[in-house]
Amino acid sequence: MAQVRPMRADARRNRERLLAVAAEAFAEHGEGASLDDIARRAGVGVGTLYRHFPTRQALLEAAYLERLEAIAARADVIAAARPPGAALMAWLDELAVGMLQVRGLKALLGTAVTGGGPACGDCVRGAATRLVRAAQEAGALRADVEPVEVLRLLHGVVTAAEAADEVDGTAVRRYLSLLMEGLGQGLGPGQGLGQRPGQV
C-alpha cells in the first residue's frame, strides 16, 4: 500500500494562505470570485492553487469547511437549551442568516442538499437530521418530512429573502416562520414549533 507523504512546510503554508484569501474573496464576490486573483493575493502562482484545489468547487468547500462545522456544532448547543421544535427553528434561522450574509455559502449549501452533494456538507446534513428527528419525536413536526427536504426548503427561503433585497434576517425570519407553520404537526398560524395548540 502506497504511503501518503506528509505535506512540506512551504506547501502547507501556501495552502493555508490560499484558504484564507479564498474565504475573503468568496465573501466579497461570491462563488464566482476570480481564482487568478485569489492566487495573486495569496502570493502564489495559479498552478500552485490548482495543485492544492483542482476545481473551484474544491476550493469553495475547503474555504468554508470550518464555518460549516461551526454551524453544525451549533445544532447540539441549541438543542441542549430549547425544546425540539424551537431548537430546529432557531438553528434554521442561524443557518439561513449565515447563507444570506456570507456570499458563496448559499451556493455551497445548495449543492450539499442535492443528491451526491459535497462531503463538506455531511456535518450540516447530520445536524439537520438530528434536529428534525427530535422535533418529529416530540410531535412538533410532520412525520413525513425528510431532513434534506427541510434544508432544500430553507434554501428557497433564503433565495426569497435575497429577492426582497435584505441582509439583516428580517424577511428570512418571516418566511421561515411561515414555512415551519406549514410543516408543523397541527400548529396554527402564529404558533412556533416550540408550542403546541392551546399554549401561549
Side-chain angles (χ1 to χ4, degrees):
M1 184 175 178
Q3 225 176 2
V4 178
R5 296 175 58 186
M7 190 179 295
R8 297 196 323 265
D10 59 338
R12 186 168 57 251
R13 286 192 297 271
N14 286 341
R15 187 178 191 278
E16 290 169 355
R17 281 201 304 273
L18 282 166
L19 286 176
V21 171
E24 293 176 0
F26 289 137
E28 291 171 12
H29 306 292
E31 67 274 16
S34 166
L35 298 188
D36 287 347
D37 186 54
I38 289 172
R40 181 184 58 76
R41 288 167 58 182
V44 302
V46 71
T48 297
L49 184 151
Y50 281 110
R51 277 196 296 276
H52 287 284
F53 308 103
T55 65
R56 176 182 297 275
Q57 183 69 18
L59 179 58
L60 186 63
E61 291 174 22
Y64 282 131
L65 178 59
E66 287 187 6
R67 188 180 290 270
L68 289 177
E69 289 175 341
I71 289 171
R74 282 288 297 159
D76 295 324
V77 173
I78 294 171
R82 302 192 184 199
L88 174 61
M89 181 75 170
W91 183 73
L92 290 175
D93 176 70
E94 288 192 11
L95 179 56
V97 172
M99 284 194 282
L100 195 62
Q101 295 179 343
V102 182
R103 299 184 66 181
L105 189 59
K106 175 173 170 274
L108 179 57
L109 284 172
T111 61
V113 297
T114 58
C120 71
D122 288 349
C123 57
V124 173
R125 290 189 291 266
T129 297
R130 294 192 298 276
L131 291 176
V132 166
R133 297 305 183 212
Q136 289 171 327
E137 289 171 9
L141 189 70
R142 289 173 47 155
D144 62 345
V145 176
E146 292 299 322
V148 71
E149 292 176 320
V150 174
L151 289 174
R152 288 171 182 165
L153 289 168
L154 181 69
H155 198 267
V157 163
V158 175
T159 300
E162 286 179 331
D165 196 26
E166 70 101 49
V167 295
D168 66 357
T170 302
V172 155
R173 292 185 182 98
R174 171 169 168 74
Y175 301 154
L176 182 58
S177 177
L178 293 170
L179 169 66
M180 299 316 287
E181 282 172 6
L183 294 179
Q185 180 73 7
L187 298 181
Q191 292 178 310
L193 284 178
Q195 295 177 301
R196 301 298 301 161
Q199 284 188 326
V200 177

